[in-house]
Every structure is written in structure tokens, then in C-alpha cells.
Amino acid sequence: MPKKHRLDADDLDWLDSNPVDLDGPPSGDRWSTWDLSTPTERGPEPRPGWLVTELAAVDTEFGILKTGKEADVHLISRGVPDTDRVCLLAAKRYRSSDHRLFHRDSGYLEGRRMRDSRAARAMSSRTAFGKQVIAGQWAQAEFSALVRLWELGLPVPYPVQILGTEILQEFVGTPDGYAAPRLATVDEGLDNLWEQLVEAMVVLSREGLAHGDLSPYNLLVDEGRLVIIDLPQIVDVIAHPTGPDFLDRDARNVATWFAHKGLPVSGERLSALLRAEAGLA
């Protein structure tokens, strides 16, 4: 029978400096946060079969996919230990008190009214609390946009859940964690990609919406399929005071890029089409 080890002073000092989290997962970085989000903070049903929602699941981080001015995107594996139930997620985390505010936040936030006067004043004066409120607004705006566009059948990542300023969404890329390339780096199949993009923008316009910051850098190409990302600034082109300008700019940005690649496209023609679809012509 093995002899029992008696803890000495050195052992106790080590335990004090290296506390064991008895509530932590058996492996990985955290338990799945699925049950921490309310039903309205989770993605729409029916949910994809690949999505892991078991409460025994564990989240493991594999590094940063993208660093931006307002948020960082991390690669996460969510899986049930000792099973084949696993999926890859992209965790977009907006910075709060110390983040650089969205580069055009005043223009996009126009029209978003806060019922809480204290929060509204804090946002206006850009206090630490105000910046945190703004970060929360951007996260909620993007999650809501993803849900709405997914339900419309548009090519966006499936929105898994939101928790505070973190959005978990479908990872667009290979099963071994390589992200799909951005349109800006793609040179093949551009005719078909243009058609996909125009079709998606027409659907958006019919709903009275514009991406608001569309460019080849927030469009992914996943095995020939175009996927729209980065949607916190989505604009209601009817209600927003300068909504049509956002529609025009989106059209100009993408058409200019495709034209430089040799396609016979025009930002003015695309803008006219989108305005007509939105009922602005």
C-alpha cells in the first residue's frame, strides 16, 4: 500500500500561489457559455446540426484570427470531452473601457436613442462607462443584424450567441482552423462572386438596409461562396438621415474593386439599382 504524502509548508505555499479551480473544466479554457445566454441571446432556430449546445461542452481557444480597432476575433473550439461532438467558432470581442471607438461611431450611432439618460450622457461624454455602453451597443447591433440576415437567407455566419460584448458565430473556414480568404486576396471566379454580391445587396436593399462599411475586406470567399461579415454598423437607409449615402458608398466601394479587376461593372449603376429596390429612386 503506497505511503500517504503529508503536505509540508512548501506544498501549502505552492497551492496558495497555484490555486486549483475545482469548478473549472477538465480541459480547455472554460466551460461552454451556452447556458449563460438567454433564449433571445442565442441564434435562430432551427439551429445547424454542427452546433454544440451540450452543457458538458468545453471552450478551448486557439489564438486570434483578426485584430481590429474595435474588436478582436478569436478562434474557439467548443466540444464535449471524450466525444466527437465538436465545432469551431469565431468569438468576436468588442473592447470596452479602453478600446478605440468605432472609427465612424457618431455617424452610425445617430438615431439610436438610449432610454437610460445616465447611459446617454456617459456615451456623449465618452466616459469609461459610456465607452462600455457603446461597445455593448455595437455587439448587440451586430448580433441582431446577423440574426436578421440569417433569417432572410443571406450569406452570413450563423450567429451562435451573444454574452455581453462577446459574439460567438460560425467559423468560416476549414475544419482544421484555416480561415476563408477575404475577397481582397482572391483573383478567381470573380464573375460569379460579383453576381452573388449583387444578389445579396439587392435583398438587403429590399429590406431597407445597407451594410454601411462594405468592402473587399469584410467579404469572405469560402470555396466559391461569398460570405458577408463585420455587421455592427448596418444602416436602416429609410430611417437614417443619410441612409442613401451609405447605400451609395457600399455600391461604389465594391464596384470600384471589381472594376479594377477587369469586370465591366459600375458603382453608379449598382447604386441606382439598390436605391430602386429600397424605394428611394
Side-chain angles (χ1 to χ4, degrees):
M1 186 174 181
K3 186 178 179 180
K4 292 182 179 179
H5 174 69
R6 205 167 175 183
L7 295 179
D8 58 23
D10 290 337
D11 293 324
L12 293 174
D13 287 341
W14 185 90
L15 287 172
D16 285 339
S17 59
N18 298 273
V20 178
D21 183 4
L22 298 178
D23 294 325
S27 62
D29 297 294
R30 68 184 186 188
W31 289 110
S32 165
T33 58
W34 178 255
D35 62 327
L36 299 182
S37 294
T38 66
T40 59
E41 295 171 332
R42 297 173 184 164
E45 297 182 350
R47 298 190 176 102
W50 54 261
L51 179 60
V52 175
T53 60
E54 291 89 332
L55 298 186
V58 172
D59 290 347
T60 303
E61 297 211 18
F62 289 103
I64 294 180
L65 294 168
K66 175 192 173 187
T67 298
K69 296 185 181 72
E70 304 82 33
D72 297 323
V73 181
H74 301 251
L75 177 63
I76 285 183
S77 171
R78 174 169 287 179
V80 180
D82 303 319
T83 75
D84 59 357
R85 288 286 293 154
V86 62
C87 66
L88 291 178
L89 304 174
K92 187 169 187 177
R93 295 167 183 162
Y94 281 87
R95 303 189 191 97
S96 54
S97 60
D98 61 346
H99 85 310
R100 293 176 61 185
L101 293 177
F102 196 84
H103 60 291
R104 285 187 295 272
D105 68 345
S106 60
Y108 291 106
L109 286 171
E110 188 171 355
R112 295 185 192 173
R113 297 291 179 255
M114 292 290 297
R115 292 183 180 179
D116 185 336
S117 59
R118 173 175 173 260
R121 288 195 301 271
M123 288 171 59
S124 177
S125 58
R126 299 302 194 263
T127 64
F129 170 65
K131 292 177 183 179
Q132 187 172 13
V133 172
I134 292 174
Q137 276 205 337
W138 284 121
Q140 185 58 60
E142 178 156 26
F143 184 76
S144 298
L146 284 168
V147 169
R148 182 174 180 183
L149 300 193
W150 175 270
E151 292 177 329
L152 287 171
L154 283 163
V156 296
Y158 177 75
V160 174
Q161 68 181 106
I162 182 172
L163 189 63
T165 56
E166 178 186 78
I167 299 172
L168 284 172
Q169 56 192 292
E170 174 186 3
F171 169 71
V172 181
T174 64
D176 51 355
Y178 286 93
R182 297 177 186 278
L183 175 62
T185 67
V186 173
D187 292 314
E188 298 179 352
L190 297 184
D191 287 308
N192 180 260
L193 292 171
W194 171 254
E195 291 176 6
Q196 292 182 53
L197 179 56
V198 171
E199 181 180 350
M201 294 178 75
V202 163
V203 174
L204 273 173
S205 298
R206 287 175 184 165
E207 292 294 314
L209 301 173
H211 182 285
D213 195 30
L214 196 59
S215 80
Y217 294 95
N218 46 37
L219 292 165
L220 303 181
V221 181
D222 184 29
E223 297 184 344
R225 181 177 71 103
L226 199 72
V227 181
I228 304 170
I229 60 171
D230 292 339
L231 290 153
Q233 69 294 310
I234 195 165
V235 174
D236 183 326
V237 299
I238 308 300
H240 196 286
T242 59
D245 294 339
F246 287 101
L247 204 66
D248 295 341
R249 187 174 63 197
D250 281 353
R252 183 172 60 252
N253 285 349
V254 294
T256 298
W257 186 85
F258 276 96
H260 284 164
K261 291 292 184 177
L263 271 67
V265 301
S266 159
E268 282 124 4
R269 288 198 300 269
L270 178 57
S271 178
L273 170 64
L274 299 180
R275 280 177 172 255
E277 295 291 344
L280 296 171

